[in-house]
Structure formats: structure tokens, C-alpha cells
Amino acid sequence: MAKLSGAGAVAPSLLLCCCCCVLIAVLAGQPAAGDDAFERTVFEMVNVAIRGNATVQGDPRVGPALIRLLFHDCWVNGCDGSVLLDKTPADGARTEKTAARSIGLGGFDLIDAIKARLAAAGGGASCADILAFAARDAATVLSGGRIRYAVRRGRGDGVASSAEAADAALPGPVSSFAELEESFAARGLGKGDLAALSGAHAVGACHGSSFADRLRPSVAAAYQINGTYQLALVARQKLLLLQNASDSATTMMNNVRDMDPAFRAASSYSGVGVDTAAAGALDNSYYTANLQNMVLLKSDWELTQDEDTLARLVAYRDDAARWNKDFGEAMERLSSLRPPVGARLEIRKTCRLTNLSPGRAVVHALKSFLRRRYDQISGLLKYFNAGLM
Ligand code: HEM
């Protein structure tokens, strides 16, 4: 084969060089020169909100909140910003964020602030895109730059958001492994994604009512949270309080790593391989905690009950780099879940409200109402026809 020479040889090497530059920019995770103002603005605002700067104090709750918000948005009818809506013409104020499964959701104010900053600069980003990038940047910041993945733009904002739909679609804290697997499979995600994404519970907090079921002496011992962990709660006089299923006032850190050293010692937590000084970091320490049965949610414990998934938990505990990579890839898939074909989408002016004018809102609500009734009536007709045949 003839060797390339002169300009012919330069072109491929130039191309290779360009590809490497793009790759380095993407891998660096920082907004690179040439990235548009959208990405820079989102990254800067998320970074400052989490870490703070000379004028703004950092908020440790906001990073975990953004990551969870993306999960809740994309799980219900795809990534369409529907979790951000305060009310819609068809659903009134009973939107996704008011669902029982949405307990503790946060990050809304930061999304509003990013939207306002972009709008002031003449940018027309959808709320769904802002959330997808904000969650990505939160993962990068909380992991100290170790988690990086690409996110594409182009999501539209949905005009429907129902609390009932959210409660029906989202897995709950007491879901069984089979239910979790089914919920993921329904969205084209596998057991590997379930194992990798659950690692997000390395950060953030949980309300007592979400895990009270794992603290009762009446439930099987294997299903309860580790006994020494419970003893540490007794020492803090928190056990009785948390056993109350309706306790939605008390919260605990998701990750035993983030409890103070005295609590960790009292609970006999083994932090081998964990950077216990890195409180609040998004890393693979969730797997160390889960394999000691020191996670709060039953849904987390359920992962240890499936053989393949248990093997993944062990692999992620022992290989931080592997989890960082798999988590990023699974987040990319999560961020790419699409709304159903034919769903009405727009670029909202404000993330909390649809753009519909009051007149069009009435027509839209009427159409949704009639469509629902039509579906019910045609369902009934099919049922009767089947009975007559
Ligand atoms: C697999 C099924 C899942 C279930 C059943 C589940 C359930 C929950 C529950 C009940 C809470 C605590 C809510 C409270 O009491 O305040 C929580 C917190 C959290 N979840 Fe999940 N989750 C799941 C998957 C995910 C996924 C896929 C992600 C993201 C990739 C995620 C990210 C988070 C984060 C970051 C928090 C802490 C939020 C904060 O502190 O503001 N979860 N989850």
C-alpha cells in the first residue's frame, strides 16, 4: 500500500490532533473554549451553588438534590422538565413534585436562577436541558471531577405533570428487587444500570418515614438495618423517633461515611478503602456501606438479594474507577430517556409554568379531559364487545 505523503499525511494527523483536543476538552469536564454560553453558565452556577465563593455560601444539599431531580424527571414520561412544574392546565397544582414519592425533592430555585440568567443573556434553553446539564455538573463537582459524561441538548419541556403518574411510575423505598428491575427494564435500562445508579445514594439525606420499616424489631432480622448501626442510633436517642413511620421531620445522611467519627465507631462501620474525610463526596463508598447492610432504604438492601447484582456491588466497592465510569455512562442513558411519541413539548418561559395562555389552557384542559373520557369509554366498549363475542 502506498504511504501517504505531504498534505495527504498531514490531514489525518491534523484530524487526529483535533479529535484528541475535543476528547481532552470533554474529559476535562470543564467548559472548554468554544463551548457555548449555555454550558458555561450552567457549570459555573452549579459549581458556585455547591462550593460557594467569596460572596455566596456553598450548600451541601443542592448537589444531591439536582442528581435526584433528574432521576425523578426522566422516570416519568422521559426527560421533559415536568418535575419542575408548579401547576399545569390539565393537572392543576397536583403536579409531580407534590407526589408522595417526591418527598424531599429540591434544587428548584437553582434551576430557576439558571433559567433566568440564560434568559437575561438571550439564551433559549429548555428547562429539561438545564436540569440534565445541572445534574451532570453536580455529579462532576461532587466527585471532584472523577465523574464526567457527555449530555446532548435538544430536550423539550412537557406541558403535563401529574402526582398520580409520578407515584405510579417511580420505584418506592420499599420496592422489591423484582419491582426495581421491572421499573428499569420498562425504560430500556438493565440490572447493571440499577446497580450503578443506586450508587448516587452515597450522597444526600433521607427522611425517617422512608426507612422506618427497616428499624422495627417486628421485621425479619436480615431485612433490618445492621444491628450495631441501630445501637448507634439508640445512643443518639434517635431510634424510637425514626421507628415512627410518619416521621418526615427527622432526616439522616444516606451514607454512614458522612456520620461523625463517634457514630461510625459506635456502629462498627468498617471504612476500609473509603476516604472517610471526604464527607459529601460522590464516590463508590455507597457499596462499602451497602455490603455492611448500613444503607437506609430497603430498595438499596434489595440489591444484595440478587446474585448478579451482589457481584456488581462487590466489584464497585473494590474498583472506584470502574464505578465512576459506569455511573457516568448510566447517567448519560438516564438523561437520554425521551418523552412518548406525540407528546406536546415547548420551550417554557419559566420552569414552573407552561406557556399556555389562559384561553388556550382551558381548551387544552378540555381536550385532555375528553381524551381521557374517550379512552375510558373505548376501553369499556372493547370489554363489552369481547363479552358479547
Ligand atoms: C432505584 C430506585 C430508587 C429508589 C427507590 C430511590 C428512593 C429514594 C428515597 C426514598 C430517597 C430519600 C427521600 C427522602 O426521604 O427524603 C432518595 C434519595 C436520593 N436519591 Fe434515590 N432512589 C432510587 C434511585 C435513585 C437514582 C437512580 C438516583 C440518581 C441517579 C437517585 C438519587 C438520589 C439522591 C442523590 C438522593 C438524596 C437526595 C437529597 O439529599 O436531596 N436515586 N432516593
Side-chain angles (χ1 to χ4, degrees):
M1 201 164 71
K3 274 190 183 170
L4 285 174
S5 63
V10 171
S13 29
L14 236 170
L15 190 70
L16 189 71
C17 186
C18 289
C19 288
C20 286
C21 290
V22 171
L23 193 69
I24 288 164
V26 170
L27 291 177
Q30 309 290 337
D35 273 2
D36 64 13
F38 168 78
E39 285 203 43
R40 264 199 310 277
T41 304
V42 177
F43 182 84
E44 277 164 21
M45 290 187 75
V46 168
N47 191 31
V48 168
I50 296 172
R51 289 184 173 161
N53 62 15
T55 46
V56 178
Q57 206 176 353
D59 180 354
R61 292 165 312 172
V62 75
L66 289 172
I67 295 170
R68 181 170 179 231
L69 203 52
L70 178 81
F71 167 51
H72 281 234
D73 187 35
C74 297
W75 222 248
V76 191
N77 293 324
C79 310
D80 66 348
S82 53
V83 73
L84 305 170
L85 287 164
D86 282 348
K87 61 179 175 184
T88 81
D91 311 289
R94 284 279 298 148
T95 53
E96 289 171 26
K97 58 169 68 163
T98 68
R101 297 262 153 106
S102 299
I103 181 173
L105 276 191
F108 301 104
D109 291 345
L110 179 59
I111 299 293
D112 289 343
I114 298 173
K115 176 79 174 170
R117 172 86 61 90
L118 289 167
S126 70
C127 299
D129 269 354
I130 293 173
L131 176 52
F133 279 79
R136 190 269 304 260
D137 294 343
T140 300
V141 173
L142 290 179
S143 65
R146 291 189 183 87
I147 295 170
R148 305 168 187 283
Y149 56 94
V151 178
R152 286 189 197 171
R153 285 185 69 180
R155 289 164 201 75
D157 295 324
V159 296
S161 177
S162 135
E164 286 70 30
D167 277 332
L170 287 158
V174 298
S175 292
S176 65
F177 185 83
E179 287 164 341
L180 295 171
E181 188 183 4
E182 195 185 318
S183 184
F184 274 64
R187 288 156 183 84
L189 302 177
K191 287 208 265 190
D193 294 302
L194 171 59
L197 287 174
S198 296
H201 290 164
V203 294
C206 198
H207 286 81
S209 55
S210 298
F211 62 96
D213 60 308
R214 293 243 291 143
L215 296 171
R216 299 224 181 78
S218 56
V219 300
Y223 164 74
Q224 286 183 36
I225 295 179
N226 182 305
T228 48
Y229 184 98
Q230 294 198 45
L231 286 178
L233 287 176
V234 173
R236 295 286 162 98
Q237 297 180 336
K238 270 199 153 180
L239 189 69
L240 286 177
L241 201 66
L242 289 166
Q243 277 172 342
N244 179 0
S246 61
D247 181 9
S248 54
T250 313
T251 56
M252 291 274 297
M253 298 314 290
N254 274 337
N255 196 337
V256 59
R257 173 205 61 191
D258 292 350
M259 302 299 288
D260 56 78
F263 186 95
R264 291 200 305 263
S267 65
S268 310
Y269 169 68
S270 162
V272 173
V274 171
D275 181 0
T276 47
L282 182 58
D283 60 18
N284 65 334
S285 56
Y286 159 86
Y287 300 95
T288 302
N290 201 352
L291 290 163
Q292 294 174 57
N293 192 11
M294 289 196 190
V295 281
L296 302 178
L297 301 173
K298 172 179 177 273
S299 54
D300 286 323
W301 171 81
E302 285 283 341
L303 305 189
T304 63
Q305 302 303 296
D306 175 73
E307 214 177 306
D308 303 339
T309 309
L310 179 62
R312 284 192 173 96
L313 302 187
V314 173
Y316 286 149
R317 178 197 62 191
D318 296 342
D319 189 344
R322 179 172 167 190
W323 177 72
N324 291 336
K325 180 175 168 291
D326 287 1
F327 180 76
E329 287 173 7
M331 284 293 279
E332 193 178 340
R333 284 189 282 279
L334 174 65
S335 314
S336 307
L337 294 178
R338 292 188 181 183
V341 176
R344 192 196 147 114
L345 298 168
E346 59 184 20
I347 305 289
R348 265 180 237 144
K349 293 193 187 83
T350 150
C351 293
R352 292 173 184 263
L353 297 170
T354 66
N355 294 344
L356 295 175
S357 65
R360 282 174 62 205
V362 172
V363 175
H364 182 76
L366 197 65
K367 271 167 63 182
S368 306
F369 173 79
L370 290 173
R371 198 176 304 122
R372 278 201 296 268
R373 286 288 168 278
Y374 173 81
D375 289 345
Q376 280 169 357
I377 291 168
S378 50
L380 274 175
L381 283 176
K382 267 191 209 140
Y383 176 76
F384 280 124
N385 281 341
L388 289 175
M389 286 206 306

